[in-house]
Amino acid sequence: MSDPVAKSETVLALPSNMMPSPVTFKGHTCSSLSVTYISRRKLVEVVDGLLGVMTPSSTCTKPYVHSGSDEVAADDTWMAKCPSALASFDQIIANAHGKKIALFLDYDGTLSPIVNDPEKAFMSPEMRTAVKNVTKFCPTAIVSGRSRDKVFEFVNLKELYYAGSHGLDILVSSTASQSKTNDDTEVKLFQPASEFLPMISEVNKSLVEATQSIKGANVENNKFCVSVHYRNVDKKDWKLVAELVDNVLKDFPRLKLTTGRKVLEVRPVIDWDKGKAVEFLLQSLRLDDPESVLPIYIGDDRTDEDAFKVLRERNCGYGILVSQVPKETEAFYSLTSPSEVMEFLNSLVRWKEEESPKVHDQE
């Protein structure tokens, strides 16, 4: 499915203070800030379930290990560190008093459940309604590892901003924030890794060929990144998938590997992630004033930690982790499932609806 029809298309420039620092690596120009590689040993350990072996620059979420009588204490520690966003809703909106909320949402595992077939990760009609309603009061963006086209196909709401491929493909439409007719719609694109498109296409083809003999393996081309899903692969073959991916990447030194929930993701080696995407959107939409805007980011994956970290370091806004188990995280609050995410969004809408008459009365 293509993007909403636009009358004009503009390529957004990257603010000077967010430009990656170029260096040379094996004859290739790339960013120096997050250039990291995962050795075959570490890669195999990661897909074998040993989550504590990510590279130092990666922000990972490692489940606490507890059993028996330690379980209650661990859960208490977890809830003290990352309390429920629903139970803490009054505190959140108290800090949002007099401010506009800018909302950022991951897709898989946040708005839709995690499913075995990535092509069937549909959000419920009730969730779509909740997201649509919240956009009436809060500028809202979807920030997903999926391709921008694919996540738009799933969400199918023109009221939102979309950042696909972990923020490497950002769409900003003026109709989302301005009162314009469809004929006046202006679409602005930001794609900091556009030069990598031919390379991504080539590595996608190589990965499809390399994994085609592995039952259950699924390679998804997300335009600016390639996802190798092994959720449906027999566990005894996980290491083989890792080795095959590692072998392919040896021919692509300008691409790096990150991991998600039962997925290996191949991305360009540039200093860009979901956190950078959030910063870019806040600046582009003129929502980066901490005195007047409270950003909230809701996500469930390791890649969302980059956005949580940005909000924590800005000392402005809240990350909300969606997880049923305790995890190390940069988020301030937690929710357990997409159904709780929907409840949180509906609570925001009810609060805004109750607040609106008071604002009009004051005017």
Side-chain angles (χ1 to χ4, degrees), residues 64 71-88 91 321 323-327 329 331-336 340:
Y64 288 104
E71 184 172 350
V72 174
D75 286 342
D76 288 345
T77 300
W78 160 247
M79 293 311 296
K81 178 182 177 182
C82 203
S84 165
L86 291 175
S88 307
Q91 178 182 344
L321 174 67
S323 177
Q324 293 184 343
V325 297
K327 293 181 179 181
T329 181
F332 283 91
Y333 297 102
S334 63
L335 295 167
T336 63
E340 285 202 354

Side-chain angles (χ1 to χ4, degrees), residues 231-286:
R231 179 175 298 275
N232 297 322
V233 174
D234 192 305
K235 189 173 182 179
K236 66 180 177 61
D237 291 327
W238 286 6
K239 290 183 180 180
L240 177 57
V241 173
E243 291 172 356
L244 291 172
V245 173
D246 195 28
N247 284 333
V248 169
L249 288 187
K250 289 178 180 178
D251 294 328
F252 299 89
R254 295 182 68 194
L255 300 178
K256 66 179 179 179
L257 182 79
T258 59
T259 65
R261 296 173 68 173
K262 298 294 192 303
V263 63
L264 304 176
E265 295 185 306
V266 177
R267 293 193 260 171
V269 181
I270 67 171
D271 184 33
W272 198 263
D273 51 39
K274 289 184 176 182
K276 292 288 196 305
V278 167
E279 289 183 301
F280 177 80
L281 282 166
L282 288 172
Q283 289 187 22
S284 299
L285 302 174
R286 298 180 181 178

Side-chain angles (χ1 to χ4, degrees), residues 86-105:
L86 291 175
S88 307
F89 187 76
D90 288 344
Q91 178 182 344
I92 293 173
I93 61 174
N95 291 326
H97 181 70
K99 297 182 179 181
K100 176 182 290 186
I101 292 178
L103 191 60
F104 300 90
L105 305 168

Side-chain angles (χ1 to χ4, degrees), residues 76-336:
D76 288 345
T77 300
W78 160 247
M79 293 311 296
K81 178 182 177 182
C82 203
S84 165
L86 291 175
S88 307
F89 187 76
D90 288 344
Q91 178 182 344
I92 293 173
I93 61 174
N95 291 326
H97 181 70
K99 297 182 179 181
K100 176 182 290 186
I101 292 178
L103 191 60
F104 300 90
L105 305 168
D106 180 33
Y107 183 75
D108 293 274
T110 299
L111 298 182
S112 72
I114 297 294
V115 295
N116 290 333
D117 185 352
E119 296 299 314
K120 296 181 179 179
F122 305 118
M123 63 193 302
S124 68
E126 294 80 11
M127 179 67 87
R128 180 172 288 102
T129 298
V131 174
K132 184 180 178 68
N133 287 340
V134 84
T135 64
K136 299 174 184 176
F137 304 99
C138 308
T140 305
I142 304 295
V143 185
S144 173
R146 299 271 195 159
S147 72
R148 181 168 49 81
D149 286 349
K150 174 58 70 174
V151 77
F152 177 79
E153 182 179 340
F154 278 135
V155 178
N156 197 24
L157 291 172
K158 294 183 180 181
E159 296 89 345
L160 280 70
Y161 306 103
Y162 290 88
S165 303
H166 300 287
L168 291 169
D169 189 8
I170 300 177
L171 174 74
V172 180
S173 172
S174 60
T175 56
S177 58
Q178 301 177 23
S179 299
K180 290 190 175 186
T181 65
N182 289 336
D183 290 339
D184 291 329
T185 300
E186 181 183 19
V187 170
K188 297 180 180 180
L189 287 174
F190 174 63
Q191 299 173 334
S194 57
E195 65 179 288
F196 286 87
L197 281 175
M199 189 182 300
I200 293 294
S201 179
E202 185 179 351
V203 77
N204 176 76
K205 181 179 178 181
S206 297
L207 288 170
V208 169
E209 293 175 353
T211 61
Q212 61 184 352
S213 63
I214 307 298
K215 183 178 180 181
N218 180 23
V219 178
E220 182 182 11
N221 188 343
N222 286 310
K223 192 169 183 176
F224 288 96
C225 66
V226 180
S227 302
V228 182
H229 301 273
Y230 59 93
R231 179 175 298 275
N232 297 322
V233 174
D234 192 305
K235 189 173 182 179
K236 66 180 177 61
D237 291 327
W238 286 6
K239 290 183 180 180
L240 177 57
V241 173
E243 291 172 356
L244 291 172
V245 173
D246 195 28
N247 284 333
V248 169
L249 288 187
K250 289 178 180 178
D251 294 328
F252 299 89
R254 295 182 68 194
L255 300 178
K256 66 179 179 179
L257 182 79
T258 59
T259 65
R261 296 173 68 173
K262 298 294 192 303
V263 63
L264 304 176
E265 295 185 306
V266 177
R267 293 193 260 171
V269 181
I270 67 171
D271 184 33
W272 198 263
D273 51 39
K274 289 184 176 182
K276 292 288 196 305
V278 167
E279 289 183 301
F280 177 80
L281 282 166
L282 288 172
Q283 289 187 22
S284 299
L285 302 174
R286 298 180 181 178
L287 296 171
D288 56 340
D289 177 14
E291 298 300 321
S292 61
V293 178
L294 183 76
I296 294 177
Y297 187 107
I298 307 177
D300 76 306
D301 196 72
R302 181 177 294 116
T303 58
D304 298 308
E305 291 294 328
D306 294 311
F308 297 156
K309 185 177 181 180
V310 163
L311 296 187
R312 182 176 287 273
E313 290 179 346
R314 285 167 55 97
N315 195 29
C316 171
Y318 300 114
I320 300 177
L321 174 67
V322 183
S323 177
Q324 293 184 343
V325 297
K327 293 181 179 181
E328 292 179 0
T329 181
E330 295 285 346
F332 283 91
Y333 297 102
S334 63
L335 295 167
T336 63

